[in-house]
Every structure is written in C-alpha cells, then in structure tokens.
Amino acid sequence: MSAFTLKLIALVTMIIDHVGAIFFPQFIWLRYIGRLSMPIYAFLLVQGYMHTRNFNRYALRMGIFALLSEVPYDLLFQGTWLEFQRQNILFTFLTALFVMKLLDASAKSRNIFMLIGAVILTILPYFLHFSYGVYGVLTVLCFYLFQKYRGIDAVAFAALTYGQYTQDGNTTQLYAIAAAIPVLLYNGKRGALSLKYFFYISYPAHMLLLYAIHYVLANHLLPF
C-alpha cells in the first residue's frame, strides 16, 4: 500500500468513527472500525517527519491546522465553540513531532537536556488534555523508534495498546491493533496522488459538516 492509500483508509475510518460517535452510539462496531485511524496517521506522521525537507514548515503547517480544527472539534464533540477539557489530536501529533526532533538532536549531540525535554513533552499531552494523551505520543514513538525494523514497530504498538487497556479497561481501543495490517503492507511509496492539503483540510471540514447535520437534525427534533 502506498502512503496515499493509507491516508484514504485513515480518513474513511476516522469519518466512520465520528459518525458512529455522534449519530449512532448504539452501533459500537462503528467505533471499532474507527480505531484504525489514529495509529495509521501516527505511522504516516513518522514517514512525513523522516522525509520532510523542512521540519519547521511541517511543524508550522501542523500547528496551524491544529488551531483551525479546535473550534470544529469542540462544536462536534462538546457542543460549544471552545473548551479546554479535551483538545484535538493534531496537537498530540504536533507534540510528537517535536519529541522526535528532540530525540534526534539528543542522539547526535549526546545532550541529556534534549532527552529530558523529549520526556517532558511526551507526558505534556496528559496535562493539556490532548486527544489520546501520552498514549497518542507513544504510538508515534513506536513507529519512530523501530522504523528500521518492520514488524517490530507493529508489535511494539500492539504491546503499548494492550498495556493501555490494562490501565483504563477500554476494550474498544484494542481494535486499534488491527491497524498493524495496513501499516505492514506499506510499500514505501507516496502513491499516484499526494493531495497533501486535502487531507489536512478534510479534518476540520468533515467535523464542521457533521456538526451542521447534527444541528439541523436536532432542531427538527429527530432522535439523535
């Protein structure tokens, strides 16, 4: 599978997950399907980091879309314009980007303070209530630290996910382990199309669309 194919799988499963969460919470299998999205995006984030020609531009783009996505995220999941109980996952991925950068810099310079900074950044999402929290950053690190060992990275992610389950008892998240299958089928190629900004824009755009649909249905007193 090319990176483009993986992006499509991640996008479709994410939309299925959000549709299930907002409109059909009784159909838990929609959330199971949606568990594939985050780890695939985490894997693609590592690939993007490894191949980007300009880290600062990459991080800036991620930060801009994280900010742009926060209001749609809060509207869809909290029903308000802005709140700070939980932030969208792009903030988690942005944090993971800087963690990878610090780990690389620490390895090259043998600077212990950069390593300490990476550790602090890894746990920061817990206190800032970023989506998926520390688990989200560690998911990225599973694919980053074992990037040279295909298969081991997937095993590390599966072990992390099972460990998370033992802590919070969330059986739904266990289905995320299935994301290892498309990840292992990655062929290292970009694919026929890039559509880089399409995938960035689709994140806040689909949430705005789902919120608009939910708002219309709610105001017509439909049982959602």
Side-chain angles (χ1 to χ4, degrees), residues 177-199:
I177 295 175
I181 297 174
V183 164
L184 289 173
L185 294 176
Y186 176 59
N187 59 17
K189 298 179 180 180
R190 179 179 295 182
L193 298 172
S194 176
L195 300 181
K196 176 172 59 179
Y197 284 97
F198 167 77
F199 289 103

Side-chain angles (χ1 to χ4, degrees), residues 2 12-13 47 56 83 98-99 101 104 109 116-117 144 173 176 181 197:
S2 67
V12 170
T13 53
Q47 296 303 308
N56 292 335
E83 61 83 43
F98 284 107
V99 170
K101 188 68 172 178
D104 272 351
S109 65
I116 293 173
Y144 167 72
Q173 191 58 34
I181 297 174
Y197 284 97

Side-chain angles (χ1 to χ4, degrees), residues 58-174:
Y58 189 21
L60 178 61
R61 181 168 60 246
M62 184 74 68
I64 289 173
F65 277 95
L67 291 172
L68 291 176
S69 299
E70 189 57 25
V71 168
Y73 181 84
D74 289 341
L75 283 173
L76 183 63
F77 292 105
Q78 303 297 332
T80 185
W81 285 93
L82 195 63
E83 61 83 43
F84 299 98
Q85 294 182 10
R86 188 180 178 191
Q87 322 311 322
N88 75 79
I89 196 169
L90 292 185
F91 285 110
T92 310
F93 286 158
L94 179 62
T95 303
L97 268 182
F98 284 107
V99 170
M100 290 188 286
K101 188 68 172 178
L102 284 172
L103 288 176
D104 272 351
S106 175
K108 292 176 182 177
S109 65
R110 299 184 183 276
N111 189 323
I112 187 64
F113 294 105
M114 289 186 177
L115 181 59
I116 293 173
V119 173
I120 293 174
L121 274 184
T122 298
I123 63 176
L124 190 63
Y126 172 80
F127 298 100
L128 296 180
H129 308 292
F130 292 170
S131 182
Y132 285 98
V134 176
Y135 168 73
V137 177
L138 291 179
T139 295
V140 175
L141 293 183
C142 285
F143 296 118
Y144 167 72
L145 295 174
F146 299 103
Q147 60 186 283
K148 296 182 180 179
Y149 307 97
R150 297 300 306 278
I152 301 300
D153 55 354
V155 171
F157 164 66
L160 171 68
T161 300
Y162 184 77
Q164 178 72 13
Y165 160 71
T166 63
Q167 294 296 314
D168 61 19
N170 183 3
T171 56
T172 301
Q173 191 58 34
L174 283 175

